[in-house]
Amino acid sequence: MLRRLLLAVALFLGIVELGAETQTVFLYRYDPLMSEETATIFFNTWIAPMAEKINQQGWPLPPRIVINLWITPPTKVCALGAHYCSPGINTADPDTGVIDIWLCNPPGCSSLERKEWLAGAIAHELGHAVAARVGFDAGFSACPIPHYPGLFTNPTCAWSEGWAEFFEQLMLGTSYNERGGYDIDTDFDWYDAFYFGPTKGDLWDEGQVAAALWDLAKTDARSITCALTRTPRTFREFWRYFQDCSASFPPQFTLLKATLSASEIQTGQEIFVSIQIQNTGQAAGT
């Protein structure tokens, strides 16, 4: 309790304004075990650049985000972790989201040097912030602890965490997740699972959701954006909105829907090989 109280009165380190019409104010607070200099470096190195990248790409963030940095005491086992509380769902303020980040006690584990973990974790949690701002965040309470790609949980958790996994890789520009050692583009079969698996008609694995979003974004990113504005809370809902959006765009955006309905295509890999071939041919003929 004392540590939380001390954190609550820690120094306000700065405001980052993002965008001309809207701004996100970051209230940055740090653990008493961390120096002000280290906390400032962390914010300027990891949080601000990722938030600016998200803003430049047009993704909205909540008006205010509180960043809490925690340090694992030297007497305890080193722990790395991150967690997001959605405004109005897990916090009382409808305009303020909260990101908690747990680091090791430097220099014991040198966690500030774990770039592959930090970059991914921050992009992931800010992905939850984007979802909360748009309105399709399902809330942290839907997920068991622990949860991870490859684990069947429930449709709400899979959608919420799968979106954040996808957003993380989108911001990092690679389908390979350094933190988890998996590739959402190749290591998860979402199409067979959605149509023929034990959870037919929905996805219960966040890894499968991330894989689906990654594959669809490669061919029809516009329809993904359109579907997200309808605030889906499960992949099943998203898929219905995505198909509606695909049908409304001419004609290059209807290719995916037509390909998915072809009876001879059985697996996700075959689907997207087919789409890539058709798109390449179309581009070559223009």
Side-chain angles (χ1 to χ4, degrees):
M1 180 65 185
L2 177 60
R3 293 180 71 234
R4 289 189 177 273
L5 181 60
L6 289 172
L7 182 64
V9 298
L11 291 177
F12 175 76
L13 297 183
I15 295 176
V16 178
E17 295 186 2
L18 301 177
E21 298 181 357
T22 62
Q23 67 177 12
T24 296
V25 176
F26 284 90
L27 176 60
Y28 192 61
R29 305 185 294 194
Y30 58 93
D31 195 295
L33 292 173
M34 176 181 286
S35 70
E36 179 181 344
E37 179 183 7
T38 300
T40 305
I41 292 173
F42 184 93
F43 180 74
N44 291 333
T45 302
W46 300 106
I47 305 293
M50 186 61 71
E52 183 63 26
K53 183 175 183 179
I54 290 170
N55 180 68
Q56 289 174 349
Q57 294 193 13
W59 297 100
L61 289 168
R64 289 183 297 277
I65 297 178
V66 176
I67 306 290
N68 289 327
L69 283 182
W70 298 98
I71 292 292
T72 303
T75 55
K76 295 187 178 181
V77 176
C78 173
L80 290 169
H83 151 244
Y84 181 76
C85 287
S86 300
I89 298 178
N90 301 105
T91 64
D93 187 344
D95 292 323
T96 302
V98 178
I99 295 178
D100 288 292
I101 302 173
W102 289 270
L103 300 171
C104 298
N105 184 47
C109 298
S110 300
S111 63
L112 293 179
E113 298 177 4
R114 299 245 348 237
K115 296 181 180 180
E116 73 280 1
W117 185 89
L118 286 171
I122 290 167
H124 180 105
E125 303 309 332
L126 287 174
H128 282 304
V130 168
R133 186 60 173 161
V134 175
F136 62 86
D137 181 74
F140 179 76
S141 59
C143 290
I145 301 176
H147 62 82
Y148 46 84
L151 177 69
F152 273 28
T153 55
N154 59 72
T156 306
C157 175
W159 170 249
S160 176
E161 291 299 325
W163 158 261
E165 289 288 326
F166 160 72
F167 191 82
E168 171 183 342
Q169 304 313 135
L170 186 68
M171 290 300 105
L172 298 180
T174 173
S175 62
Y176 185 75
N177 186 294
E178 293 280 356
R179 292 184 299 136
Y182 54 81
D183 192 321
I184 61 172
D185 195 28
T186 58
D187 291 349
F188 296 95
D189 170 26
W190 67 272
Y191 182 76
D192 285 350
F194 184 72
Y195 279 101
F196 309 114
T199 59
K200 181 179 178 180
D202 212 334
L203 296 178
W204 289 45
D205 175 356
E206 62 192 74
Q208 292 172 343
V209 171
L213 291 171
W214 185 267
D215 281 341
L216 299 177
K218 291 189 296 186
T219 56
D220 200 353
R222 185 178 176 185
S223 291
I224 286 186
T225 306
C226 168
L228 294 178
T229 63
R230 304 189 187 184
T231 63
R233 294 304 180 100
T234 66
F235 184 80
R236 183 189 185 101
E237 290 183 8
F238 166 81
W239 186 245
R240 183 170 70 249
Y241 300 150
F242 177 85
Q243 290 183 307
D244 291 343
C245 290
S246 293
S248 68
F249 295 134
Q252 63 269 29
F253 294 106
T254 62
L255 179 59
L256 178 63
K257 185 177 180 182
T259 306
L260 288 176
S261 63
S263 59
E264 68 273 12
I265 293 180
Q266 297 298 317
T267 68
Q269 183 178 6
E270 289 171 348
I271 288 174
F272 291 103
V273 167
S274 174
I275 287 177
Q276 289 165 2
I277 291 172
Q278 292 183 52
N279 276 344
T280 300
Q282 186 179 46
T286 59

